[in-house]
Amino acid sequence: MGRRQPEEPSFGESARPAPGTGGHRHHAAPSSEDARVVDADVVDAVLRTARAVLAERVDEAMASDALFCDELARRVADFTLDGGKRVRPRLLWWGMRSCGAAETTAALRLGVALELIQSCALIHDDVMDRSRLRRGKPAVHIGLAERAGYSPDSGRGSAFGASAAVLAGDLALAWADDTVAETALSAVQRRRIGPLWRAMRTEMVAGQYLDLRGQVSGGSSVEQALRTACLKSASYSVERPLALGAALAGADEATTDALRSAGRCAGIAFQLRDDLLGVFGDPELTGKPSGDDIREGKSTYLLAVARRWAEAAGDERSLAVLGRVPGGGDLAEEDLAEVRGVLEATGARAHVERKAERLRDHALRRLAQAVDVDAHGGRQLLGLLRTVSGERTGHSPATGGTHGHGPGAAAAAPALTTAEGGTSR
């Protein structure tokens, strides 16, 4: 259940696969004097720091219990190291660097903590979605059941795998908190970072809960769907990592606010485009089946807009088609085609495309107000936000449908709301 936690878009920099923690060799993280080395390959620096941090965590787990360490702790460590684009650490890093700072060791350790909290989210998300695969490999709950000698399809194996994966996600979150707590920070930095970290954890859980709640209640309102996207994706994936980087750099309030606004807009734009991919994406380009979001009955902003506009137009046929979502995973291809047709005809698809474009443009404007986008750090951060918020979604641009100039068409023009990252400045 719930909107599948989106994986990160590729940003061009190589996100090379990392080996597991076998042997538990401690790899030295770059010192605070090596900021330019990290600049050249942030992913590599994050991975080296992660291996060192996780080797210590696995050693601690072994001291508690060998079986627990071998079956659960090592799996959490390997899952964190193996795969992903390290988007959040890179945003933190370039957020800090664009503000003129070079707190290398602290930034990399906080980046590892972000990767661990992402591991928690993905592990738990796969349990709730009953997903069998993650990054082309068995999901953690599937692997844990098999490791214990159970078939993940049996009642006992399914129950054990899900329960053990909840513990794995909890362990990842505990390790994330430990990593933050043990990072050397000045008193001022800790006072600024502590509230940001606590808020990010709560927002992540709140977004997941709103997503689940919307699904079991038969769909979210437009406002609730947008709020869910902000909490579930934009806040902890983009906005908070940027704010953590600004806090490390000691950025002033105006700079921090502008960076947060830029991150929120870029993150929501990414989620809206991801929603479009889930319905209209070309599997050859996206690498995932088209239509799964509809089959699973995910409560998205795209569907909420279509329902609102169909209601406003008195379009009973479209409402009947949308009423078959959620479909319990068994919608036929012709049913999917009908839903896609309604999303086109109501103008919902075109509206979401326009909103994503508007959010992207606002994100880039707010970034330019925060930092010098012609300087090294600002230029790198500009490239990241352009990619996260502005990539094509794997389908041709939408054109307006039957109601494309109807009840909701004017919604594309007004200024952004505060929830979307808008500001009075």
Side-chain angles (χ1 to χ4, degrees), residues 158-189:
S158 176
F160 173 81
S163 299
V166 169
L167 295 176
D170 291 347
L171 184 62
L173 181 58
W175 284 356
D177 283 344
D178 290 345
T179 303
V180 174
E182 295 171 8
T183 296
L185 299 168
S186 71
V188 172
Q189 288 172 327

Side-chain angles (χ1 to χ4, degrees), residues 92 110 114 117 177 180 188-204 235-236 239-251 256-257 260 264:
L92 187 155
L110 291 178
L114 288 172
I117 204 171
D177 283 344
V180 174
V188 172
Q189 288 172 327
R190 194 165 293 282
R191 282 198 300 270
R192 294 187 65 180
I193 286 169
L196 290 172
W197 183 259
R198 291 192 296 273
M200 181 183 66
R201 290 179 312 183
T202 301
E203 288 161 355
M204 179 186 71
S235 181
Y236 101 95
E239 178 186 352
R240 293 301 183 183
L242 286 177
L244 288 168
L248 270 181
T256 300
D257 286 348
R260 288 187 58 187
R264 192 178 316 128

Side-chain angles (χ1 to χ4, degrees), residues 327-347:
D330 56 357
L331 286 179
E333 280 300 322
E334 53 267 28
D335 295 320
L336 290 174
E338 273 196 285
V339 174
R340 291 188 183 103
V342 166
L343 296 176
E344 294 269 16
T346 57

Side-chain angles (χ1 to χ4, degrees), residues 197-368:
W197 183 259
R198 291 192 296 273
M200 181 183 66
R201 290 179 312 183
T202 301
E203 288 161 355
M204 179 186 71
V205 177
Q208 183 69 24
Y209 178 76
L210 290 179
D211 199 17
L212 291 169
R213 188 68 173 80
Q215 193 167 347
V216 299
S217 64
S220 299
S221 68
V222 169
E223 294 76 16
Q224 192 79 333
L226 191 63
R227 180 64 178 158
T228 301
C230 183
L231 289 170
K232 187 176 173 70
S233 298
S235 181
Y236 101 95
S237 292
V238 187
E239 178 186 352
R240 293 301 183 183
L242 286 177
L244 288 168
L248 270 181
D252 60 32
E253 184 177 355
T255 298
T256 300
D257 286 348
L259 279 174
R260 288 187 58 187
S261 176
R264 192 178 316 128
C265 289
I268 297 174
F270 169 69
Q271 184 59 63
L272 296 186
R273 292 179 186 281
D274 194 64
D275 291 345
L276 287 164
L277 278 175
V279 179
F280 297 103
D282 179 352
E284 293 296 322
L285 298 177
T286 66
K288 61 181 180 179
S290 179
D292 274 5
D293 285 358
I294 298 174
R295 288 190 178 93
E296 296 167 14
K298 294 181 179 179
S299 183
T300 65
Y301 178 75
L302 177 65
L303 286 170
V305 168
R307 286 193 183 97
R308 173 175 285 185
W309 290 7
E311 288 170 357
D315 187 347
E316 296 298 332
R317 179 190 172 280
S318 292
L319 288 172
V321 171
L322 294 174
R324 295 200 289 271
V325 180
D330 56 357
L331 286 179
E333 280 300 322
E334 53 267 28
D335 295 320
L336 290 174
E338 273 196 285
V339 174
R340 291 188 183 103
V342 166
L343 296 176
E344 294 269 16
T346 57
R349 178 185 178 184
H351 171 74
V352 173
E353 287 275 15
R354 289 193 300 268
K355 181 177 276 295
E357 293 290 329
R358 195 159 56 97
L359 285 162
R360 180 202 63 191
D361 292 345
H362 191 77
L364 301 185
R365 284 196 301 271
R366 292 295 279 152
L367 180 64

